[in-house]
Amino acid sequence: MPFPPPPRTLPGPRRRSLLASAAGAALLVGCSTDGDDTENTAGSPSAAERARARAATDSETLLRHYDAVLAAHPALAERLDPLRAEVVRHATAFGGSDSTPSPTATAAPSASASTAPATASDALAGLAAAERALADRRAKALLDVPGELARLLASVAAAGAGHAYLLTEDAK
């Protein structure tokens, strides 16, 4: 006795499964957020705003560290001025102040110059450690912030790691 031919079905998904998938996808898209990470409730800043403010403050703190080293060791100006200029741009990108003059452009050394290490090599090592620590903190913060801010943090963290390398390059 011969077996009956198999039912005629085409390979691939059926129409019902495609419609169900499309409806499910539309439902998920309708339930997701609109991507605006600056929304806040009851006047409190969003997580993204707090992360951006902290990043700006961190960059400004690092900038003061550069200024202290440059005031204590003016001979390092040629080497540190380009890195310091990058830190100013980072602070500005995060919403910080962009009006900080270079210590080499000011006549009087800052009061924080006394906090810089006595030797230039120790000062460079301290700056490298500060850059590395800040880059690590920013890399960890990437996981907690939305898209555009995460990309900015990643870029600035990579630049900070590059600065740390450049600051320790001669020590090897």
Side-chain angles (χ1 to χ4, degrees):
M1 174 168 197
F3 290 106
R8 188 168 175 172
T9 59
L10 298 174
R14 294 182 177 238
R15 192 176 349 181
R16 283 186 196 166
S17 61
L18 286 176
L19 290 175
S21 297
L27 182 62
L28 287 175
V29 170
C31 292
S32 67
T33 62
D34 61 358
D36 184 13
D37 56 28
T38 59
E39 246 181 61
N40 55 27
T41 57
S44 65
S46 72
E49 289 170 341
R50 288 189 307 272
R52 184 178 291 274
R54 176 168 177 154
T57 301
D58 287 345
S59 290
E60 290 167 349
T61 300
L62 182 61
L63 185 60
R64 286 191 296 276
H65 194 157
Y66 270 91
D67 290 347
V69 169
L70 284 166
H73 305 283
L76 294 175
E78 184 178 338
R79 183 174 183 181
L80 296 183
D81 279 346
L83 301 178
R84 184 194 178 280
E86 286 293 316
V87 174
V88 169
R89 283 191 283 275
H90 297 161
T92 304
F94 289 120
S97 173
D98 63 350
S99 61
T100 308
S102 171
T104 56
T106 60
S110 70
S112 62
S114 62
T115 62
T119 67
S121 62
D122 287 346
L124 291 174
L127 273 175
E131 285 273 17
R132 196 174 302 109
L134 184 54
D136 289 346
R137 276 199 317 271
R138 286 179 170 160
K140 288 177 186 171
L142 290 174
L143 303 174
D144 301 326
V145 295
E148 191 61 33
L149 182 55
R151 285 186 285 278
L152 179 59
L153 276 172
S155 176
V156 173
H163 291 181
Y165 172 77
L166 291 172
L167 289 166
T168 59
E169 185 177 284
D170 288 343
K172 292 180 179 178

